[in-house]
Amino acid sequence: MSQIESAANQSQDIVEQLRMEIITGRFEEGMPLREVSLAERFQVSRAPIREALKQLAHEGMVESKPNCGMRVAPASSESMQELVIPLRQTVESFALKSIFSDLSEEDFHEWEELLNEMRAACEARDYAQLTELDIKFHQSIVAKSPEQGLMSIWVTLVSRLRRHFLAGFQKPNDPMKVYYEHVAIVAMFRTSKLEPSLQALISNID
């Protein structure tokens, strides 16, 4: 692997970690993101941090304030989220259709592991972890699609749903409901019936 490729991979790993921490609320709106402290945390130079923040700014996750540097950007408004949710449903439905006939035991093993982690997060009432695992579950569906560019579209949509994720997971009196919803989705996938599987996925996103 070349030095350029290694730096690009390093920057992408940082992007994914910071993005998840912003979506799950570990980094709150308005929190400063300083290159020096992030470089120390990830044990890298400031260059990959700078590239990561640039990408997150493009996604609308962070913003630059005069004399303040980079900060976590405000989440999208409720009206914007009403627009984004149907778009996300469309993207994930498209992804599922593109992979459904080729699902393997390896895919189901991956989902079963995520479900086990999700159950543990529900039992511990760890809402940040539960949010992260929910995102990873849906991301895994999109990631399996052979359609080029679908993941970047999905990431852009999900990055604008921070408020939706956090509010959704902190409301249930019984967080196990979230776990059982995802168990039902995987069980439906196993039936090899596409239309009911699409409906289960769409209903969960809504």
Side-chain angles (χ1 to χ4, degrees), residues 170-205:
Q170 291 175 2
K171 283 179 182 176
N173 292 324
D174 181 10
M176 289 299 294
K177 178 184 176 183
V178 177
Y179 164 72
Y180 289 123
E181 284 179 359
H182 288 82
V183 169
I185 293 172
V186 174
M188 188 57 70
F189 289 178
R190 278 199 175 275
T191 68
S192 299
K193 296 178 180 178
L194 178 58
E195 289 305 319
S197 295
L198 288 169
Q199 286 306 312
L201 182 63
I202 290 169
S203 295
N204 177 257
I205 295 170

Side-chain angles (χ1 to χ4, degrees), residues 5 41 43 56 66 79 82 97 99 115 130 142 200 204:
E5 289 175 326
R41 172 189 165 184
Q43 297 184 325
L56 291 170
S79 58
E82 288 176 10
K97 289 176 186 177
I99 65 172
L115 288 174
L130 182 56
V142 180
N204 177 257

Side-chain angles (χ1 to χ4, degrees), residues 82-199:
E82 288 176 10
L83 169 66
V84 171
I85 289 173
L87 295 174
R88 183 185 160 208
Q89 290 172 326
T90 299
V91 169
E92 291 192 30
S93 296
F94 182 87
L96 184 60
K97 289 176 186 177
S98 72
I99 65 172
F100 199 71
S101 61
D102 297 319
L103 291 178
S104 65
E105 280 304 313
E106 185 178 345
D107 296 317
F108 285 104
H109 178 69
E110 178 187 346
W111 286 325
E112 290 297 338
E113 287 189 337
L114 278 171
L115 288 174
N116 289 337
E117 292 181 52
M118 193 175 286
R119 178 167 192 150
C122 288
E123 290 172 345
R125 292 183 177 268
D126 186 341
Y127 296 112
Q129 177 70 358
L130 182 56
T131 304
E132 183 171 335
L133 291 168
D134 178 87
I135 293 168
K136 285 183 176 179
F137 177 87
H138 291 271
Q139 184 179 35
S140 72
I141 296 172
V142 180
K144 296 177 193 304
S145 175
E147 298 295 335
Q148 295 293 320
L150 201 61
M151 179 58 74
S152 59
I153 295 171
W154 182 86
V155 165
T156 300
L157 295 173
V158 169
S159 68
R160 283 156 175 77
L161 291 172
R162 276 178 281 154
R163 196 168 285 156
H164 174 79
F165 280 119
L166 291 173
F169 286 125
Q170 291 175 2
K171 283 179 182 176
N173 292 324
D174 181 10
M176 289 299 294
K177 178 184 176 183
V178 177
Y179 164 72
Y180 289 123
E181 284 179 359
H182 288 82
V183 169
I185 293 172
V186 174
M188 188 57 70
F189 289 178
R190 278 199 175 275
T191 68
S192 299
K193 296 178 180 178
L194 178 58
E195 289 305 319
S197 295
L198 288 169
Q199 286 306 312

Side-chain angles (χ1 to χ4, degrees), residues 21-71:
E21 292 180 359
I22 293 171
I23 291 174
T24 57
R26 298 179 198 267
F27 282 171
E28 298 178 354
E29 293 181 20
M31 182 177 290
L33 297 172
R34 297 186 175 87
E35 289 183 13
V36 173
S37 58
L38 289 173
E40 290 176 355
R41 172 189 165 184
F42 289 103
Q43 297 184 325
V44 297
S45 68
R46 291 172 63 178
I49 298 295
R50 194 174 300 116
E51 287 302 311
L53 292 176
K54 187 184 298 182
Q55 181 173 332
L56 291 170
H58 179 71
E59 295 175 8
M61 302 290 282
V62 304
E63 61 183 6
S64 178
K65 291 280 190 179
N67 303 317
C68 297
M70 288 289 191
R71 292 180 178 272

